[in-house]
Amino acid sequence: MSFVVAIDGPAGAGKGTITKLVGEKLGLVNIDTGATFRCVALNMIQEHIDIQEEDKIEKMLTKINIEMHPDGKIFLNGEEVTHRIRENDVNNFVSPVSVLPVVRNKLLEVQRNIAKGKNVIMEGRDIGTVVFPDADVKIYLDATAEERARRRVLQNQEKGIECSYEEVLEGIKDRDKRDSTREIAPLKKAEDAIYVDSTNLNVEQAAEKIIEIIKQKA
Ligand code: DC
């Protein structure tokens, strides 16, 4: 028997950091499904496969091996790619890759297998709606686009990346639109998910709120 907590929501709502903290506090295995899409995008870059080349993508996906180790390290076909999948070329390519039905179908199987037999907290865009529609707890973590842009600008400043607030806000609004209007597995709150707004909460407060919800349901 496994226990599944699904955390969905838009980019910048704090899913990654908050999920990690909640997982550590409750002893749940933390699974970042965005990383699986990033691995596919990286594999395509490595093999010089274009987004239109469906046959080649399909062939590549029959051989792909994605491993997520308990220490947070991610391996693609035996090579550690934990940091590599966060680089700019992958950032820019992953969104169109994540729309491809052939990729989503394959990753559905990969994500379900990774969680098999474990107690997990899994974050993504369609976990409560598609990957685990029967999840024990479903949370939809949100924040206003303005707050998410403010957080992204701060993160960029810490990394020494120059950007304007307006430019980042526009990017976030574009991505929200693309993620929520795509045909397959669009970003949307599952009917039975609990809505958590992190706009006015720091990481600790949001984690506490989610822990309370999980404890009530468990
Ligand atoms: O959360 P992230 O930025 O690492 O996600 C990378 C991309 O993958 C992003 O464009 C959205 C997509 N994604 C998805 O479509 N479904 C998921 N369950 C997780 C991520």
Side-chain angles (χ1 to χ4, degrees):
M1 269 287 280
S2 66
F3 183 78
V4 177
V5 178
I7 312 258
D8 290 303
K15 288 194 309 286
T17 326
I18 295 165
T19 302
K20 197 159 167 266
L21 192 58
V22 174
E24 280 166 8
K25 290 200 176 182
L26 296 183
L28 301 168
V29 178
N30 176 8
I31 301 168
D32 164 14
T33 59
T36 62
F37 288 91
R38 288 171 179 274
C39 282
V40 172
L42 176 59
N43 206 353
M44 286 173 65
I45 292 170
Q46 289 169 334
E47 298 195 11
H48 308 285
I49 300 175
D50 199 55
I51 207 95
Q52 284 91 15
E53 296 180 296
E54 202 169 316
D55 288 354
K56 286 190 183 174
I57 299 171
E58 232 168 297
K59 197 162 164 212
M60 186 200 88
L61 290 172
T62 61
K63 298 180 293 177
I64 201 166
N65 179 32
I66 299 169
E67 290 169 56
M68 295 185 151
H69 290 197
D71 60 4
K73 286 188 180 153
I74 295 164
F75 289 79
L76 168 62
N77 299 328
E79 182 196 348
E80 201 208 322
V81 295
T82 319
H83 301 294
R84 178 68 187 88
I85 56 169
R86 309 280 159 200
E87 287 180 19
N88 251 342
D89 54 348
V90 178
N91 287 344
N92 294 334
F93 195 43
V94 65
S95 183
V97 168
S98 75
V99 175
L100 300 173
V102 62
V103 171
R104 296 209 77 88
N105 282 337
K106 172 69 187 181
L107 290 184
L108 193 57
E109 173 197 315
V110 169
Q111 289 161 11
R112 286 179 179 159
N113 274 336
I114 291 175
K116 209 175 252 173
K118 301 188 186 102
N119 296 327
V120 301
I121 182 161
M122 189 178 252
E123 57 124 331
R125 306 290 191 286
D126 61 340
I127 310 307
T129 50
V130 177
V131 184
F132 285 110
D134 297 327
D136 299 273
V137 183
K138 296 183 190 179
I139 311 265
Y140 189 87
L141 186 65
D142 205 358
T144 60
E146 288 72 18
E147 172 61 16
R148 289 184 282 131
R150 195 186 67 80
R151 291 175 190 171
R152 179 56 50 85
V153 170
L154 284 177
Q155 274 174 358
N156 284 351
Q157 277 170 355
E158 277 163 22
K159 291 186 203 157
I161 302 169
E162 290 232 1
C163 61
S164 79
Y165 170 80
E166 285 74 21
E167 175 192 33
V168 171
L169 179 61
E170 199 175 317
I172 282 185
K173 285 185 172 168
D174 277 355
R175 191 150 134 184
D176 282 356
K177 195 165 172 205
R178 217 178 320 135
D179 282 351
S180 54
T181 56
R182 72 179 175 216
E183 233 166 82
I184 301 183
L187 170 68
K188 67 165 195 253
K189 180 185 160 300
E191 263 178 35
D192 51 350
I194 295 169
Y195 186 88
V196 174
D197 184 354
S198 78
T199 304
N200 296 310
L201 303 178
N202 64 29
V203 169
E204 289 285 339
Q205 290 168 328
E208 273 314 310
K209 194 161 189 170
I210 290 174
I211 288 171
E212 242 173 67
I213 296 170
I214 296 172
K215 284 187 173 164
Q216 275 171 10
K217 290 259 180 177

PDB file of all heavy atoms in Angstrom, residues 141-174:
ATOM      1  N   LEU A 141      -1.557  24.339  -5.216  1.00  0.00           N
ATOM      2  CA  LEU A 141      -0.802  25.438  -4.613  1.00  0.00           C
ATOM      3  C   LEU A 141      -0.675  26.576  -5.616  1.00  0.00           C
ATOM      4  O   LEU A 141      -0.126  26.395  -6.703  1.00  0.00           O
ATOM      5  CB  LEU A 141       0.586  24.921  -4.203  1.00  0.00           C
ATOM      6  CG  LEU A 141       1.464  25.904  -3.431  1.00  0.00           C
ATOM      7  CD1 LEU A 141       0.860  26.241  -2.072  1.00  0.00           C
ATOM      8  CD2 LEU A 141       2.854  25.316  -3.236  1.00  0.00           C
ATOM      9  N   ASP A 142      -1.177  27.724  -5.219  1.00  0.00           N
ATOM     10  CA  ASP A 142      -1.230  28.851  -6.153  1.00  0.00           C
ATOM     11  C   ASP A 142      -0.628  30.097  -5.505  1.00  0.00           C
ATOM     12  O   ASP A 142      -0.374  30.139  -4.300  1.00  0.00           O
ATOM     13  CB  ASP A 142      -2.712  29.110  -6.501  1.00  0.00           C
ATOM     14  CG  ASP A 142      -2.884  29.789  -7.841  1.00  0.00           C
ATOM     15  OD1 ASP A 142      -1.882  30.096  -8.502  1.00  0.00           O
ATOM     16  OD2 ASP A 142      -4.054  30.028  -8.219  1.00  0.00           O
ATOM     17  N   ALA A 143      -0.396  31.110  -6.318  1.00  0.00           N
ATOM     18  CA  ALA A 143      -0.041  32.464  -5.841  1.00  0.00           C
ATOM     19  C   ALA A 143      -0.342  33.382  -7.010  1.00  0.00           C
ATOM     20  O   ALA A 143      -0.394  32.918  -8.168  1.00  0.00           O
ATOM     21  CB  ALA A 143       1.431  32.537  -5.470  1.00  0.00           C
ATOM     22  N   THR A 144      -0.544  34.656  -6.753  1.00  0.00           N
ATOM     23  CA  THR A 144      -0.847  35.563  -7.867  1.00  0.00           C
ATOM     24  C   THR A 144       0.353  35.616  -8.819  1.00  0.00           C
ATOM     25  O   THR A 144       1.498  35.388  -8.404  1.00  0.00           O
ATOM     26  CB  THR A 144      -1.110  36.998  -7.361  1.00  0.00           C
ATOM     27  OG1 THR A 144       0.072  37.452  -6.691  1.00  0.00           O
ATOM     28  CG2 THR A 144      -2.294  37.052  -6.417  1.00  0.00           C
ATOM     29  N   ALA A 145       0.082  35.934 -10.080  1.00  0.00           N
ATOM     30  CA  ALA A 145       1.159  36.041 -11.073  1.00  0.00           C
ATOM     31  C   ALA A 145       2.166  37.106 -10.632  1.00  0.00           C
ATOM     32  O   ALA A 145       3.380  36.929 -10.798  1.00  0.00           O
ATOM     33  CB  ALA A 145       0.568  36.386 -12.439  1.00  0.00           C
ATOM     34  N   GLU A 146       1.674  38.179 -10.027  1.00  0.00           N
ATOM     35  CA  GLU A 146       2.552  39.279  -9.595  1.00  0.00           C
ATOM     36  C   GLU A 146       3.522  38.799  -8.508  1.00  0.00           C
ATOM     37  O   GLU A 146       4.711  39.105  -8.547  1.00  0.00           O
ATOM     38  CB  GLU A 146       1.720  40.465  -9.067  1.00  0.00           C
ATOM     39  CG  GLU A 146       0.975  41.246 -10.138  1.00  0.00           C
ATOM     40  CD  GLU A 146      -0.222  40.505 -10.737  1.00  0.00           C
ATOM     41  OE1 GLU A 146      -0.712  39.522 -10.123  1.00  0.00           O
ATOM     42  OE2 GLU A 146      -0.673  40.893 -11.836  1.00  0.00           O
ATOM     43  N   GLU A 147       3.004  38.026  -7.547  1.00  0.00           N
ATOM     44  CA  GLU A 147       3.861  37.525  -6.474  1.00  0.00           C
ATOM     45  C   GLU A 147       4.864  36.497  -7.026  1.00  0.00           C
ATOM     46  O   GLU A 147       6.032  36.482  -6.637  1.00  0.00           O
ATOM     47  CB  GLU A 147       2.997  36.898  -5.362  1.00  0.00           C
ATOM     48  CG  GLU A 147       3.750  36.176  -4.263  1.00  0.00           C
ATOM     49  CD  GLU A 147       4.717  37.059  -3.465  1.00  0.00           C
ATOM     50  OE1 GLU A 147       4.602  38.293  -3.540  1.00  0.00           O
ATOM     51  OE2 GLU A 147       5.598  36.491  -2.794  1.00  0.00           O
ATOM     52  N   ARG A 148       4.410  35.666  -7.940  1.00  0.00           N
ATOM     53  CA  ARG A 148       5.315  34.666  -8.518  1.00  0.00           C
ATOM     54  C   ARG A 148       6.428  35.353  -9.311  1.00  0.00           C
ATOM     55  O   ARG A 148       7.579  34.918  -9.289  1.00  0.00           O
ATOM     56  CB  ARG A 148       4.528  33.668  -9.381  1.00  0.00           C
ATOM     57  CG  ARG A 148       3.665  32.749  -8.513  1.00  0.00           C
ATOM     58  CD  ARG A 148       2.960  31.695  -9.305  1.00  0.00           C
ATOM     59  NE  ARG A 148       1.788  32.183 -10.010  1.00  0.00           N
ATOM     60  CZ  ARG A 148       1.521  31.970 -11.284  1.00  0.00           C
ATOM     61  NH1 ARG A 148       2.349  31.263 -12.032  1.00  0.00           N
ATOM     62  NH2 ARG A 148       0.442  32.448 -11.828  1.00  0.00           N
ATOM     63  N   ALA A 149       6.077  36.441  -9.991  1.00  0.00           N
ATOM     64  CA  ALA A 149       7.094  37.195 -10.749  1.00  0.00           C
ATOM     65  C   ALA A 149       8.098  37.823  -9.778  1.00  0.00           C
ATOM     66  O   ALA A 149       9.306  37.791 -10.005  1.00  0.00           O
ATOM     67  CB  ALA A 149       6.425  38.276 -11.589  1.00  0.00           C
ATOM     68  N   ARG A 150       7.584  38.368  -8.663  1.00  0.00           N
ATOM     69  CA  ARG A 150       8.462  38.992  -7.673  1.00  0.00           C
ATOM     70  C   ARG A 150       9.462  37.949  -7.139  1.00  0.00           C
ATOM     71  O   ARG A 150      10.659  38.205  -7.041  1.00  0.00           O
ATOM     72  CB  ARG A 150       7.605  39.540  -6.525  1.00  0.00           C
ATOM     73  CG  ARG A 150       8.302  40.521  -5.604  1.00  0.00           C
ATOM     74  CD  ARG A 150       7.422  40.892  -4.408  1.00  0.00           C
ATOM     75  NE  ARG A 150       7.193  39.760  -3.508  1.00  0.00           N
ATOM     76  CZ  ARG A 150       8.056  39.337  -2.592  1.00  0.00           C
ATOM     77  NH1 ARG A 150       9.200  39.935  -2.433  1.00  0.00           N
ATOM     78  NH2 ARG A 150       7.768  38.286  -1.829  1.00  0.00           N
ATOM     79  N   ARG A 151       8.984  36.741  -6.841  1.00  0.00           N
ATOM     80  CA  ARG A 151       9.862  35.682  -6.328  1.00  0.00           C
ATOM     81  C   ARG A 151      10.908  35.292  -7.373  1.00  0.00           C
ATOM     82  O   ARG A 151      12.063  35.065  -7.044  1.00  0.00           O
ATOM     83  CB  ARG A 151       9.038  34.437  -5.963  1.00  0.00           C
ATOM     84  CG  ARG A 151       8.136  34.658  -4.758  1.00  0.00           C
ATOM     85  CD  ARG A 151       7.259  33.435  -4.515  1.00  0.00           C
ATOM     86  NE  ARG A 151       6.235  33.686  -3.518  1.00  0.00           N
ATOM     87  CZ  ARG A 151       5.237  32.844  -3.250  1.00  0.00           C
ATOM     88  NH1 ARG A 151       5.125  31.705  -3.893  1.00  0.00           N
ATOM     89  NH2 ARG A 151       4.351  33.153  -2.322  1.00  0.00           N
ATOM     90  N   ARG A 152      10.478  35.175  -8.639  1.00  0.00           N
ATOM     91  CA  ARG A 152      11.406  34.776  -9.694  1.00  0.00           C
ATOM     92  C   ARG A 152      12.499  35.825  -9.886  1.00  0.00           C
ATOM     93  O   ARG A 152      13.677  35.490 -10.051  1.00  0.00           O
ATOM     94  CB  ARG A 152      10.626  34.531 -11.004  1.00  0.00           C
ATOM     95  CG  ARG A 152      11.429  34.128 -12.233  1.00  0.00           C
ATOM     96  CD  ARG A 152      12.277  32.904 -12.057  1.00  0.00           C
ATOM     97  NE  ARG A 152      11.570  31.758 -11.506  1.00  0.00           N
ATOM     98  CZ  ARG A 152      10.871  30.892 -12.222  1.00  0.00           C
ATOM     99  NH1 ARG A 152      10.782  31.031 -13.524  1.00  0.00           N
ATOM    100  NH2 ARG A 152      10.263  29.880 -11.640  1.00  0.00           N
ATOM    101  N   VAL A 153      12.122  37.113  -9.802  1.00  0.00           N
ATOM    102  CA  VAL A 153      13.124  38.185  -9.946  1.00  0.00           C
ATOM    103  C   VAL A 153      14.163  38.070  -8.812  1.00  0.00           C
ATOM    104  O   VAL A 153      15.369  38.160  -9.049  1.00  0.00           O
ATOM    105  CB  VAL A 153      12.448  39.584  -9.948  1.00  0.00           C
ATOM    106  CG1 VAL A 153      13.474  40.694  -9.860  1.00  0.00           C
ATOM    107  CG2 VAL A 153      11.593  39.762 -11.204  1.00  0.00           C
ATOM    108  N   LEU A 154      13.683  37.819  -7.588  1.00  0.00           N
ATOM    109  CA  LEU A 154      14.612  37.674  -6.451  1.00  0.00           C
ATOM    110  C   LEU A 154      15.560  36.490  -6.664  1.00  0.00           C
ATOM    111  O   LEU A 154      16.764  36.592  -6.443  1.00  0.00           O
ATOM    112  CB  LEU A 154      13.835  37.453  -5.143  1.00  0.00           C
ATOM    113  CG  LEU A 154      13.177  38.684  -4.533  1.00  0.00           C
ATOM    114  CD1 LEU A 154      12.374  38.301  -3.287  1.00  0.00           C
ATOM    115  CD2 LEU A 154      14.225  39.734  -4.159  1.00  0.00           C
ATOM    116  N   GLN A 155      14.974  35.350  -7.128  1.00  0.00           N
ATOM    117  CA  GLN A 155      15.806  34.158  -7.391  1.00  0.00           C
ATOM    118  C   GLN A 155      16.870  34.484  -8.433  1.00  0.00           C
ATOM    119  O   GLN A 155      18.036  34.125  -8.288  1.00  0.00           O
ATOM    120  CB  GLN A 155      14.945  33.034  -7.979  1.00  0.00           C
ATOM    121  CG  GLN A 155      14.251  32.176  -6.967  1.00  0.00           C
ATOM    122  CD  GLN A 155      13.289  31.181  -7.651  1.00  0.00           C
ATOM    123  OE1 GLN A 155      13.129  31.182  -8.874  1.00  0.00           O
ATOM    124  NE2 GLN A 155      12.643  30.360  -6.846  1.00  0.00           N
ATOM    125  N   ASN A 156      16.452  35.179  -9.490  1.00  0.00           N
ATOM    126  CA  ASN A 156      17.397  35.531 -10.552  1.00  0.00           C
ATOM    127  C   ASN A 156      18.499  36.434 -10.020  1.00  0.00           C
ATOM    128  O   ASN A 156      19.672  36.252 -10.358  1.00  0.00           O
ATOM    129  CB  ASN A 156      16.670  36.209 -11.721  1.00  0.00           C
ATOM    130  CG  ASN A 156      15.905  35.211 -12.572  1.00  0.00           C
ATOM    131  OD1 ASN A 156      16.049  34.002 -12.397  1.00  0.00           O
ATOM    132  ND2 ASN A 156      15.093  35.705 -13.483  1.00  0.00           N
ATOM    133  N   GLN A 157      18.109  37.396  -9.172  1.00  0.00           N
ATOM    134  CA  GLN A 157      19.112  38.309  -8.604  1.00  0.00           C
ATOM    135  C   GLN A 157      20.143  37.520  -7.797  1.00  0.00           C
ATOM    136  O   GLN A 157      21.340  37.771  -7.889  1.00  0.00           O
ATOM    137  CB  GLN A 157      18.439  39.347  -7.706  1.00  0.00           C
ATOM    138  CG  GLN A 157      17.872  40.517  -8.500  1.00  0.00           C
ATOM    139  CD  GLN A 157      16.996  41.437  -7.647  1.00  0.00           C
ATOM    140  OE1 GLN A 157      16.735  41.154  -6.476  1.00  0.00           O
ATOM    141  NE2 GLN A 157      16.536  42.523  -8.234  1.00  0.00           N
ATOM    142  N   GLU A 158      19.649  36.528  -7.032  1.00  0.00           N
ATOM    143  CA  GLU A 158      20.578  35.705  -6.239  1.00  0.00           C
ATOM    144  C   GLU A 158      21.558  34.956  -7.132  1.00  0.00           C
ATOM    145  O   GLU A 158      22.696  34.727  -6.770  1.00  0.00           O
ATOM    146  CB  GLU A 158      19.803  34.687  -5.386  1.00  0.00           C
ATOM    147  CG  GLU A 158      19.294  35.304  -4.092  1.00  0.00           C
ATOM    148  CD  GLU A 158      18.204  34.456  -3.434  1.00  0.00           C
ATOM    149  OE1 GLU A 158      18.123  33.245  -3.707  1.00  0.00           O
ATOM    150  OE2 GLU A 158      17.427  35.039  -2.646  1.00  0.00           O
ATOM    151  N   LYS A 159      21.065  34.569  -8.325  1.00  0.00           N
ATOM    152  CA  LYS A 159      21.936  33.832  -9.258  1.00  0.00           C
ATOM    153  C   LYS A 159      22.751  34.786 -10.123  1.00  0.00           C
ATOM    154  O   LYS A 159      23.500  34.357 -10.997  1.00  0.00           O
ATOM    155  CB  LYS A 159      21.081  32.950 -10.184  1.00  0.00           C
ATOM    156  CG  LYS A 159      20.416  31.789  -9.507  1.00  0.00           C
ATOM    157  CD  LYS A 159      19.744  30.935 -10.591  1.00  0.00           C
ATOM    158  CE  LYS A 159      18.616  30.101 -10.046  1.00  0.00           C
ATOM    159  NZ  LYS A 159      17.653  29.722 -11.074  1.00  0.00           N
ATOM    160  N   GLY A 160      22.549  36.098  -9.945  1.00  0.00           N
ATOM    161  CA  GLY A 160      23.289  37.080 -10.741  1.00  0.00           C
ATOM    162  C   GLY A 160      22.732  37.258 -12.145  1.00  0.00           C
ATOM    163  O   GLY A 160      23.419  37.754 -13.040  1.00  0.00           O
ATOM    164  N   ILE A 161      21.472  36.817 -12.348  1.00  0.00           N
ATOM    165  CA  ILE A 161      20.855  36.965 -13.675  1.00  0.00           C
ATOM    166  C   ILE A 161      20.059  38.264 -13.711  1.00  0.00           C
ATOM    167  O   ILE A 161      19.197  38.495 -12.859  1.00  0.00           O
ATOM    168  CB  ILE A 161      19.912  35.775 -13.985  1.00  0.00           C
ATOM    169  CG1 ILE A 161      20.677  34.451 -13.906  1.00  0.00           C
ATOM    170  CG2 ILE A 161      19.237  35.935 -15.346  1.00  0.00           C
ATOM    171  CD1 ILE A 161      19.800  33.206 -13.934  1.00  0.00           C
ATOM    172  N   GLU A 162      20.354  39.129 -14.682  1.00  0.00           N
ATOM    173  CA  GLU A 162      19.636  40.411 -14.799  1.00  0.00           C
ATOM    174  C   GLU A 162      18.288  40.206 -15.494  1.00  0.00           C
ATOM    175  O   GLU A 162      18.211  39.477 -16.485  1.00  0.00           O
ATOM    176  CB  GLU A 162      20.463  41.370 -15.657  1.00  0.00           C
ATOM    177  CG  GLU A 162      21.711  41.825 -14.960  1.00  0.00           C
ATOM    178  CD  GLU A 162      21.828  43.342 -14.979  1.00  0.00           C
ATOM    179  OE1 GLU A 162      20.925  44.003 -15.520  1.00  0.00           O
ATOM    180  OE2 GLU A 162      22.827  43.835 -14.440  1.00  0.00           O
ATOM    181  N   CYS A 163      17.228  40.801 -14.969  1.00  0.00           N
ATOM    182  CA  CYS A 163      15.938  40.726 -15.647  1.00  0.00           C
ATOM    183  C   CYS A 163      15.033  41.819 -15.104  1.00  0.00           C
ATOM    184  O   CYS A 163      15.248  42.311 -13.992  1.00  0.00           O
ATOM    185  CB  CYS A 163      15.293  39.362 -15.435  1.00  0.00           C
ATOM    186  SG  CYS A 163      14.961  39.012 -13.717  1.00  0.00           S
ATOM    187  N   SER A 164      14.032  42.208 -15.880  1.00  0.00           N
ATOM    188  CA  SER A 164      13.110  43.221 -15.377  1.00  0.00           C
ATOM    189  C   SER A 164      11.851  42.521 -14.872  1.00  0.00           C
ATOM    190  O   SER A 164      11.471  41.456 -15.375  1.00  0.00           O
ATOM    191  CB  SER A 164      12.746  44.214 -16.475  1.00  0.00           C
ATOM    192  OG  SER A 164      11.776  43.664 -17.327  1.00  0.00           O
ATOM    193  N   TYR A 165      11.201  43.139 -13.884  1.00  0.00           N
ATOM    194  CA  TYR A 165       9.974  42.580 -13.310  1.00  0.00           C
ATOM    195  C   TYR A 165       8.908  42.416 -14.395  1.00  0.00           C
ATOM    196  O   TYR A 165       8.252  41.370 -14.487  1.00  0.00           O
ATOM    197  CB  TYR A 165       9.485  43.507 -12.178  1.00  0.00           C
ATOM    198  CG  TYR A 165       8.109  43.156 -11.668  1.00  0.00           C
ATOM    199  CD1 TYR A 165       7.921  42.123 -10.760  1.00  0.00           C
ATOM    200  CD2 TYR A 165       6.992  43.874 -12.094  1.00  0.00           C
ATOM    201  CE1 TYR A 165       6.651  41.797 -10.294  1.00  0.00           C
ATOM    202  CE2 TYR A 165       5.715  43.557 -11.634  1.00  0.00           C
ATOM    203  CZ  TYR A 165       5.555  42.519 -10.734  1.00  0.00           C
ATOM    204  OH  TYR A 165       4.298  42.203 -10.284  1.00  0.00           O
ATOM    205  N   GLU A 166       8.773  43.424 -15.255  1.00  0.00           N
ATOM    206  CA  GLU A 166       7.720  43.402 -16.292  1.00  0.00           C
ATOM    207  C   GLU A 166       7.919  42.219 -17.247  1.00  0.00           C
ATOM    208  O   GLU A 166       6.974  41.523 -17.593  1.00  0.00           O
ATOM    209  CB  GLU A 166       7.715  44.710 -17.095  1.00  0.00           C
ATOM    210  CG  GLU A 166       7.131  45.903 -16.369  1.00  0.00           C
ATOM    211  CD  GLU A 166       8.058  46.452 -15.275  1.00  0.00           C
ATOM    212  OE1 GLU A 166       9.273  46.183 -15.342  1.00  0.00           O
ATOM    213  OE2 GLU A 166       7.543  47.108 -14.354  1.00  0.00           O
ATOM    214  N   GLU A 167       9.197  42.019 -17.618  1.00  0.00           N
ATOM    215  CA  GLU A 167       9.526  40.949 -18.560  1.00  0.00           C
ATOM    216  C   GLU A 167       9.195  39.582 -17.930  1.00  0.00           C
ATOM    217  O   GLU A 167       8.576  38.710 -18.558  1.00  0.00           O
ATOM    218  CB  GLU A 167      11.028  41.085 -18.834  1.00  0.00           C
ATOM    219  CG  GLU A 167      11.688  40.054 -19.689  1.00  0.00           C
ATOM    220  CD  GLU A 167      13.227  40.208 -19.599  1.00  0.00           C
ATOM    221  OE1 GLU A 167      13.767  40.589 -18.536  1.00  0.00           O
ATOM    222  OE2 GLU A 167      13.867  39.947 -20.583  1.00  0.00           O
ATOM    223  N   VAL A 168       9.557  39.425 -16.653  1.00  0.00           N
ATOM    224  CA  VAL A 168       9.313  38.155 -15.960  1.00  0.00           C
ATOM    225  C   VAL A 168       7.806  37.926 -15.806  1.00  0.00           C
ATOM    226  O   VAL A 168       7.304  36.824 -16.049  1.00  0.00           O
ATOM    227  CB  VAL A 168      10.017  38.150 -14.578  1.00  0.00           C
ATOM    228  CG1 VAL A 168       9.600  36.948 -13.752  1.00  0.00           C
ATOM    229  CG2 VAL A 168      11.519  38.170 -14.758  1.00  0.00           C
ATOM    230  N   LEU A 169       7.078  38.975 -15.450  1.00  0.00           N
ATOM    231  CA  LEU A 169       5.628  38.857 -15.256  1.00  0.00           C
ATOM    232  C   LEU A 169       4.946  38.429 -16.561  1.00  0.00           C
ATOM    233  O   LEU A 169       4.084  37.540 -16.578  1.00  0.00           O
ATOM    234  CB  LEU A 169       5.055  40.193 -14.760  1.00  0.00           C
ATOM    235  CG  LEU A 169       3.539  40.231 -14.544  1.00  0.00           C
ATOM    236  CD1 LEU A 169       3.102  39.213 -13.492  1.00  0.00           C
ATOM    237  CD2 LEU A 169       3.074  41.629 -14.105  1.00  0.00           C
ATOM    238  N   GLU A 170       5.387  39.038 -17.646  1.00  0.00           N
ATOM    239  CA  GLU A 170       4.800  38.691 -18.946  1.00  0.00           C
ATOM    240  C   GLU A 170       5.072  37.216 -19.281  1.00  0.00           C
ATOM    241  O   GLU A 170       4.188  36.488 -19.727  1.00  0.00           O
ATOM    242  CB  GLU A 170       5.400  39.595 -20.024  1.00  0.00           C
ATOM    243  CG  GLU A 170       4.552  39.641 -21.270  1.00  0.00           C
ATOM    244  CD  GLU A 170       5.124  40.638 -22.262  1.00  0.00           C
ATOM    245  OE1 GLU A 170       5.520  41.746 -21.817  1.00  0.00           O
ATOM    246  OE2 GLU A 170       5.202  40.311 -23.437  1.00  0.00           O
ATOM    247  N   GLY A 171       6.317  36.773 -19.000  1.00  0.00           N
ATOM    248  CA  GLY A 171       6.694  35.370 -19.242  1.00  0.00           C
ATOM    249  C   GLY A 171       5.825  34.428 -18.437  1.00  0.00           C
ATOM    250  O   GLY A 171       5.361  33.402 -18.934  1.00  0.00           O
ATOM    251  N   ILE A 172       5.573  34.764 -17.187  1.00  0.00           N
ATOM    252  CA  ILE A 172       4.762  33.913 -16.306  1.00  0.00           C
ATOM    253  C   ILE A 172       3.327  33.844 -16.811  1.00  0.00           C
ATOM    254  O   ILE A 172       2.720  32.771 -16.871  1.00  0.00           O
ATOM    255  CB  ILE A 172       4.827  34.448 -14.847  1.00  0.00           C
ATOM    256  CG1 ILE A 172       6.155  34.008 -14.243  1.00  0.00           C
ATOM    257  CG2 ILE A 172       3.641  33.961 -14.015  1.00  0.00           C
ATOM    258  CD1 ILE A 172       6.339  34.347 -12.798  1.00  0.00           C
ATOM    259  N   LYS A 173       2.790  34.979 -17.240  1.00  0.00           N
ATOM    260  CA  LYS A 173       1.400  34.986 -17.734  1.00  0.00           C
ATOM    261  C   LYS A 173       1.277  34.152 -19.015  1.00  0.00           C
ATOM    262  O   LYS A 173       0.311  33.420 -19.187  1.00  0.00           O
ATOM    263  CB  LYS A 173       0.936  36.420 -17.968  1.00  0.00           C
ATOM    264  CG  LYS A 173       0.630  37.148 -16.654  1.00  0.00           C
ATOM    265  CD  LYS A 173       0.066  38.525 -16.898  1.00  0.00           C
ATOM    266  CE  LYS A 173      -0.410  39.159 -15.607  1.00  0.00           C
ATOM    267  NZ  LYS A 173      -0.705  40.595 -15.757  1.00  0.00           N
ATOM    268  N   ASP A 174       2.302  34.261 -19.883  1.00  0.00           N
ATOM    269  CA  ASP A 174       2.310  33.470 -21.132  1.00  0.00           C
ATOM    270  C   ASP A 174       2.309  31.984 -20.813  1.00  0.00           C
ATOM    271  O   ASP A 174       1.573  31.199 -21.392  1.00  0.00           O
ATOM    272  CB  ASP A 174       3.589  33.751 -21.933  1.00  0.00           C
ATOM    273  CG  ASP A 174       3.457  35.003 -22.777  1.00  0.00           C
ATOM    274  OD1 ASP A 174       2.350  35.567 -22.805  1.00  0.00           O
ATOM    275  OD2 ASP A 174       4.468  35.412 -23.373  1.00  0.00           O
TER     276      ASP A 174
END
